[in-house]
Amino acid sequence: MTMSMAAKHSAGRKLKDAIFDANSACLAAIKEHGAAAVTNATIGTILDESGKLAVLPTVEKVFKSLDMRDMVSYAPISGLQNYLDFVIDSVFADCKPEGYSAAISTAGGTGAIHHAIANYAERGDSVLTSDWFWGTYNVICVETGKRLETFKLFDENLKFNLADFTDKFNSLAKNQDSVLAIINSPAHNPTGYALNLEEWDGVLDVIKTQAATGKKITLLVDVAYIDFAGEKNSTRAFFKKFSGLPENVLVLIAYSMSKSYTLYGQRTGALVALSSNKDVIEEFKDVNKWSGRATWSNINRGAQELLIRLKEDPGIEKQYEKERAELYQTVQRRGELFVNEAAECNLRIVPYKGGFFIAIPAENPAAVCNELHKDLIFAVPLKLGIRVAACSVSYEKMHGVAAKIKKAFDAVK
């Protein structure tokens, strides 16, 4: 028997990440066959048409212009105040809902999700999200003593499954004094789906109905990919619906600089809160400052300074927005090409509306992905299907990928 010194709650934990496992297999194939022969649809970063990591020129220029002291000095635990103010502006744009709001700096969007689950779900309780979900949600739940339960994201017609959300949400509310639900929209990871305004109305009706019974409800909206979902304000229009919610409904928003600013490794983000009660927002600042001190103490000051510089100079911000929009169009063209070719070859996919990823339902995802390796195409096998990263596949290489996936499906039947 293997000796263990870990605490009982940690013993036996081994992180298995399907995304990084798939990428490792892809890198091995590149080493053997060369990058030109391999299609890497695994990694969640934007690669340019030559296969190199895409970096926004204005972001690079401003980042390199920062004084070294601004790069290496400690930031306040909660974050630089100008950064937090600009984050709120970036999250909502022209669609800021009525209510009290605040933000706290976090180690990327992951840190924001961690703090939300750590501070707004009771230990031993369940957190609700969709059955297509980013696996780290579950890792964070386990780490913080919670369970993750899911509702079916899509019905049999591949429409948002409000009925199942309602059933699962009400079931948790029946057995718990509080409920935390996570909705990743727009540009959902791993499907590229986005709730429309009518679907948001349905979700909020369920939440308000349970809030009327006295339950404490927290809605965490993960918007990590929002700037690759479409036009800025149209993709944010749903935020307006969060105005005037009951005092016992707290809206949290997980924000990340990783995608919008091509700053993946700088690990900078924020958790934004919205409430109709000022005391709830003051509590939010206190409990999340505590959690920040208990985890990373404070986060990357340089990336915070970068956002401040971009926002303070309208000319620089305008250039950044232009470059980001062009990068969005690059990813969107790839995604639309895949969607069109999937329709041509009768490959059934999840509705893609924008973002980094496209999903294909599959009964045996691992077998299909292994079959794809014969064509040197590497995608990520998930529990419910296959994730194809439109962000990392060039437009040229995307041609024919859908047909080869369909061929792989037929081969493993």
Side-chain angles (χ1 to χ4, degrees):
M1 185 175 181
T2 303
M3 181 178 176
S4 172
M5 290 293 290
K8 290 180 181 178
H9 65 268
S10 293
R13 289 181 179 173
K14 292 183 179 181
L15 185 64
K16 183 173 176 58
D17 192 301
I19 299 168
F20 287 97
D21 287 349
N23 187 54
S24 294
C26 181
L27 294 178
I30 289 173
K31 187 175 182 180
E32 180 179 356
H33 301 282
V38 176
T39 299
N40 183 357
T42 68
I43 198 68
T45 58
I46 302 176
L47 304 185
D48 64 21
E49 292 301 294
S50 68
K52 295 180 180 179
L53 184 67
V55 179
L56 294 171
T58 296
V59 170
E60 181 176 3
K61 180 180 178 180
V62 174
F63 200 47
K64 287 181 176 179
S65 74
L66 294 176
D67 186 281
M68 189 62 178
R69 291 168 182 79
D70 287 333
M71 296 283 285
V72 303
S73 297
Y74 284 126
I77 295 171
S78 297
L80 297 169
Q81 190 56 54
N82 283 355
Y83 168 75
L84 301 177
D85 292 341
F86 285 135
V87 160
I88 292 173
D89 290 342
S90 296
V91 166
F92 295 123
D94 295 334
C95 302
K96 186 176 181 181
E98 298 174 6
Y100 298 97
S101 61
I104 188 160
S105 62
T106 62
T110 306
I113 295 161
H114 172 274
H115 277 16
I117 293 173
N119 289 317
Y120 293 96
E122 298 288 344
R123 291 177 180 172
D125 275 4
S126 293
V127 173
L128 184 65
T129 196
S130 59
D131 54 353
W132 289 91
F133 67 92
W134 183 45
T136 304
Y137 291 168
N138 185 60
V139 176
I140 295 172
C141 283
V142 173
E143 179 73 9
T144 57
K146 324 293 162 63
R147 295 184 300 272
L148 188 68
E149 295 195 18
T150 62
F151 67 93
K152 293 179 181 178
L153 181 56
F154 301 109
D155 61 20
E156 61 276 7
N157 298 314
L158 292 178
K159 302 292 186 182
F160 179 71
N161 199 330
L162 180 61
D164 202 53
F165 172 82
T166 303
D167 288 345
K168 298 295 172 53
F169 190 93
N170 289 344
S171 178
L172 291 186
K174 182 179 179 181
N175 297 303
Q176 299 178 182
D177 293 329
S178 62
V179 179
L180 168 62
I182 306 173
I183 301 288
N184 177 199
S185 180
H188 173 263
N189 176 6
T191 69
Y193 190 71
L195 275 68
N196 62 34
L197 296 181
E198 183 180 353
E199 290 163 345
W200 272 114
D201 285 337
V203 167
L204 292 175
D205 285 345
V206 174
I207 286 172
K208 287 185 281 190
T209 297
Q210 286 298 338
T213 70
K215 301 288 183 177
K216 294 193 295 184
I217 309 297
T218 302
L219 173 64
L220 172 60
V221 187
D222 182 353
V223 299
Y225 299 89
I226 194 167
D227 285 319
F228 288 85
E231 192 279 324
K232 177 179 285 189
N233 286 303
S234 64
T235 58
R236 288 165 166 79
F238 71 95
F239 283 136
K240 287 283 192 178
K241 294 183 176 295
F242 298 156
S243 297
L245 292 175
E247 289 186 335
N248 55 331
V249 175
L250 173 64
V251 176
L252 300 176
I253 300 161
Y255 172 80
S256 172
M257 288 187 70
S258 297
K259 288 79 180 175
S260 301
Y261 296 88
T262 58
L263 283 174
Y264 311 99
Q266 296 303 306
R267 308 311 306 136
T268 309
L271 185 63
V272 177
L274 177 77
S275 174
S276 59
N277 187 306
K278 186 177 181 181
D279 292 339
V280 170
I281 295 300
E282 292 303 314
E283 179 190 54
F284 164 84
K285 292 189 284 188
D286 289 337
V287 300
N288 287 289
K289 183 177 181 179
W290 176 289
S291 290
R293 186 58 161 165
T295 48
W296 45 72
S297 188
N298 49 36
I299 66 155
N300 187 322
R301 185 181 187 119
Q304 294 182 66
E305 293 281 4
L306 166 68
L307 182 64
I308 292 169
R309 302 293 174 86
L310 287 172
K311 289 289 187 179
E312 284 181 338
D313 188 318
I316 293 176
E317 183 180 25
K318 184 177 180 181
Q319 181 62 27
Y320 153 75
E321 289 284 3
K322 177 178 180 292
E323 293 167 1
R324 183 200 53 75
E326 290 171 352
L327 198 57
Y328 155 70
Q329 289 294 342
T330 295
V331 176
Q332 193 69 15
R333 283 194 298 270
R334 298 168 181 176
E336 291 172 355
L337 174 61
F338 182 94
V339 170
N340 291 336
E341 292 192 350
E344 291 171 2
C345 68
N346 296 317
L347 177 67
R348 187 172 185 260
I349 68 172
V350 168
Y352 173 78
K353 298 187 178 181
F356 279 29
F357 308 112
I358 303 166
I360 305 102
E363 293 183 2
N364 195 339
V368 176
C369 285
N370 287 336
E371 185 69 20
L372 280 173
H373 294 176
K374 296 177 181 178
D375 286 319
L376 297 181
I377 295 173
F378 292 82
V380 178
L382 303 174
K383 183 178 180 180
L384 298 178
I386 297 163
R387 193 189 82 172
V388 173
C391 57
S392 65
V393 181
S394 69
Y395 188 84
E396 180 182 355
K397 283 190 174 182
M398 189 63 85
H399 280 289
V401 169
K404 289 177 181 177
I405 293 175
K406 180 64 166 61
K407 183 182 73 171
F409 267 84
D410 293 340
V412 301
K413 281 184 178 178

